[in-house]
Amino acid sequence: MAQSTASDRPNIVWIMLEDWGLDLGCYGTPGIETPVTDKLASEGIRYTNAFCTSPVCSTSRSAMLTGYHQNYIGAEQHRTAKEDKKPLPYDIEPMPVLLKEAGYFTALMIHDKTDANFSGDLGFMGKDWKEREKGQPFFAQITLGGTHRAWNRDPKNPIDPAKVELPPYYADTPFARRDWANGLEQMQVCDREIGDILKRLEKEDLAENTLIFLIGDNGRCHIRGKQFLYDPGLQVPMIIKWPGKFASGQVNTDMVQTIDITATILDVAGAKPKHELQGKNLFEEESKNREYIFAARGRMGGTHDAMRTIRSNKYKLIHNLIPERAWLQYSGYKEDMYPMLAEMNIMYMEGKLNEDQAKFFAPTKPEFELFDIEKDPYELNNLANDLHYGDVKDKLLEELYVWRKSIKDEGVSQEFREGGLSSKYPTRTLQEWKERYEAWKPWVFRETKSKVKHPFIKKNY
């Protein structure tokens, strides 16, 4: 698709769900009802293989703000301190700056989260598209923060925990089911908020000339999800609606990445970056039939770890660059936000988890993890040491190294390897985990209109 001219450029609304994967009705998740999102998907294109470039907000959002992988722009460490942030390299400009230069009004709406791990002007001009000049096309990035933990329950449509379906690597307990259902209820609340946005577009006669994107900024915030390179941490919903341009009810199975949205928006708007982006226009052939997607994880707050992954339609290879550290080394975010972590730590220390559930609680990681995604969609059977898959592993590792070189991946220094918070594991005694579990109970099992306070939140993560 050629770049648009000024006369036919649409408005662009990018709705971003925090920390949300494919747990929506239109993706087949049991127990949840998301009629607005389901209808949006039925009117546009629903992508089933969309992945972010990093499994946490600030690094993923930094990539999406620019169209380049976070390592390439020096934004790979989650929540880089203000004094450590540096300007973007290589004369790269953030997407909103380019859109502003192309004549768009750029708005950051509802939840004004950008989370950029770099300094400089991001290019947002206001907080609502109503601030634009008459006839001016607008770009609005709208973040719905509700799906970020801690979650509100849905008083209009509570979910029966018996109707939800847990992945097999979680302990199937009433506590875990209620926590899972609580997250789905929060998404139902957000579904109605999405409805409010779409109704406003209709009311203001903007809907027919507005290109809509709906995605998650990173994967689901549960154990083995956010912060990790398994599919639940990287895979996000992606729904696109462009009235009059694309037939409704499409399902796209191409492997795509969230930085492809950046490239698509800039092309549609007629904005021209100074250098070729690492994302590809979703509406062009260049984004189709991609052989691999790539992602990386670095420091999470004060928790030091480093992982890289390459994924095809059939296989995924994860390279753990600091394998001596446990997956569940101390992270204040996870321990203060994931109720299931307390219960499963207790069960692990008491020997009550099954083999698949216990794997993630091990004190160290293998350097390599290789999964046959088609046969093992939950990524439980590590084939990295299976000689029958030696050629597959070698090929993927070779391609991963090529990609790492292309994004100027600096790897892990000895200082980084030895730094950060303590990697001692387990992070707490059995008794301490039991105390936290008891503290969690009133919150997890609270009624829909309850005033129960969250037991651990002291700051905004």
Side-chain angles (χ1 to χ4, degrees):
M1 184 181 71
Q3 289 185 328
S4 302
T5 62
S7 61
D8 65 4
R9 294 183 299 176
N11 305 309
I12 302 166
V13 170
W14 184 346
I15 303 171
M16 192 107 67
L17 296 166
E18 292 236 41
D19 301 346
W20 205 253
L22 303 189
D23 296 315
L24 298 162
C26 56
Y27 284 97
T29 298
I32 193 172
E33 295 179 9
T34 49
V36 174
T37 307
D38 299 352
K39 184 174 185 290
L40 184 67
S42 73
E43 295 171 342
I45 308 170
R46 176 171 61 89
Y47 287 78
T48 60
N49 280 303
F51 301 87
C52 57
T53 61
S54 180
V56 75
C57 51
S58 73
T59 48
S60 175
R61 285 169 176 266
S62 295
M64 287 187 282
L65 273 167
T66 61
Y68 300 90
H69 284 274
Q70 62 277 358
N71 296 71
Y72 185 73
I73 58 174
E76 70 272 18
Q77 306 300 359
H78 177 47
R79 290 285 163 81
T80 302
K82 184 177 181 179
E83 61 272 16
D84 294 330
K85 291 183 180 182
K86 298 178 181 178
L88 288 167
Y90 320 121
D91 293 323
I92 291 171
E93 294 178 298
M95 175 180 63
V97 169
L98 295 170
L99 291 173
K100 181 170 66 172
E101 292 172 351
Y104 271 71
F105 179 83
T106 58
L108 185 64
M109 296 176 60
I110 299 183
H111 182 43
D112 59 349
K113 179 176 182 178
T114 57
D115 237 357
N117 287 331
F118 51 84
S119 61
D121 177 25
L122 298 182
F124 289 105
M125 302 164 66
K127 294 185 177 182
D128 197 290
W129 66 63
K130 68 183 180 183
E131 301 169 38
R132 74 194 189 283
E133 296 180 9
K134 185 177 179 179
Q136 183 180 18
F138 66 83
F139 165 75
Q141 186 173 98
I142 304 174
T143 294
L144 300 182
T147 45
H148 192 291
R149 294 274 191 169
W151 297 333
N152 294 308
R153 290 207 56 191
D154 182 2
K156 294 185 177 180
N157 189 17
I159 293 174
D160 181 356
K163 294 182 178 179
V164 306
E165 184 177 299
L166 294 175
Y169 41 75
Y170 297 144
D172 192 346
T173 67
F175 183 83
R177 283 181 169 272
R178 184 67 266 168
D179 183 50
W180 186 272
N182 290 349
L184 299 185
E185 286 190 18
Q186 173 62 73
M187 183 58 230
Q188 291 182 164
V189 174
C190 284
D191 187 65
R192 295 195 287 271
E193 293 173 352
I194 294 168
D196 291 340
I197 297 167
L198 301 181
K199 287 175 185 175
R200 180 181 169 189
L201 290 170
E202 293 282 356
K203 184 178 179 180
E204 297 179 13
D205 295 323
L206 296 169
E208 291 306 307
N209 191 37
T210 298
L211 168 58
I212 297 171
F213 295 87
L214 174 67
I215 68 164
D217 62 351
N218 51 257
R220 69 163 70 117
C221 50
H222 277 287
I223 302 168
R224 282 181 58 108
K226 180 181 177 180
Q227 296 197 1
F228 296 99
L229 299 183
Y230 304 110
D231 277 6
L234 296 173
Q235 196 165 17
V236 295
M238 183 185 289
I239 297 169
I240 300 175
K241 179 183 176 182
W242 195 357
K245 291 289 185 178
F246 298 112
S248 61
Q250 295 186 58
V251 178
N252 188 305
T253 60
D254 293 331
M255 284 196 303
V256 298
Q257 296 213 255
T258 47
I259 54 175
D260 296 334
I261 297 180
T262 315
T264 306
I265 288 172
L266 291 175
D267 272 1
V268 166
K272 298 180 180 180
K274 295 178 181 177
H275 307 288
E276 182 180 0
L277 301 181
Q278 290 171 342
K280 305 298 181 184
N281 188 328
L282 290 162
F283 305 147
E284 296 279 8
E285 287 299 316
E286 61 185 357
S287 70
K288 305 181 187 306
N289 303 313
R290 188 182 262 131
E291 190 171 4
Y292 305 112
I293 61 99
F294 300 90
R297 175 242 161 106
R299 175 180 54 75
M300 299 286 168
T303 306
H304 283 211
D305 213 334
M307 304 164 184
R308 310 290 186 261
T309 192
I310 175 174
R311 186 195 193 280
S312 68
N313 277 312
K314 183 170 176 56
Y315 295 108
K316 175 189 279 185
L317 179 70
I318 297 173
H319 188 180
N320 293 308
L321 303 183
I322 312 182
E324 65 270 21
R325 291 185 176 235
W327 284 287
L328 293 177
Q329 63 173 308
Y330 180 77
S331 162
Y333 168 80
K334 290 198 296 293
E335 297 198 5
D336 288 350
M337 290 291 193
Y338 291 6
M340 276 196 265
L341 193 59
E343 183 181 45
M344 289 187 68
N345 261 294
I346 293 168
M347 297 177 73
Y348 174 73
M349 295 170 82
E350 292 181 339
K352 295 179 180 178
L353 295 180
N354 66 33
E355 182 181 357
D356 287 337
Q357 294 161 357
K359 287 176 181 176
F360 199 60
F361 290 76
T364 61
K365 304 185 291 288
E367 182 179 2
F368 295 103
E369 299 174 79
L370 175 65
F371 303 106
D372 185 327
I373 300 292
E374 290 182 349
K375 295 179 179 178
D376 178 27
Y378 291 110
E379 300 164 278
L380 292 169
N381 184 23
N382 183 8
L383 304 170
N385 295 324
D386 188 326
L387 295 179
H388 291 96
Y389 292 87
D391 290 344
V392 172
K393 177 184 174 183
D394 290 346
K395 173 63 175 174
L396 292 176
L397 188 57
E398 178 184 357
E399 294 288 346
L400 184 60
Y401 282 140
V402 169
W403 173 73
R404 289 183 60 189
K405 184 177 180 179
S406 75
I407 64 163
K408 303 183 185 298
D409 183 359
E410 296 180 355
V412 175
S413 68
Q414 194 62 31
E415 180 183 13
F416 183 89
R417 184 181 297 274
E418 296 172 356
L421 299 174
S422 170
S423 61
K424 178 179 176 291
Y425 188 81
T427 62
R428 300 177 190 271
T429 66
L430 177 59
Q431 182 58 36
E432 287 170 335
W433 278 118
K434 286 183 176 180
E435 290 171 0
R436 289 182 77 83
Y437 173 65
E438 292 300 323
W440 272 119
K441 276 184 177 179
W443 174 258
V444 170
F445 288 108
R446 70 195 186 280
E447 298 298 323
T448 56
K449 296 182 180 181
S450 170
K451 300 297 183 182
V452 173
K453 294 182 68 173
H454 192 285
F456 303 114
I457 290 181
K458 296 182 178 67
K459 63 178 181 178
N460 177 20
Y461 285 93

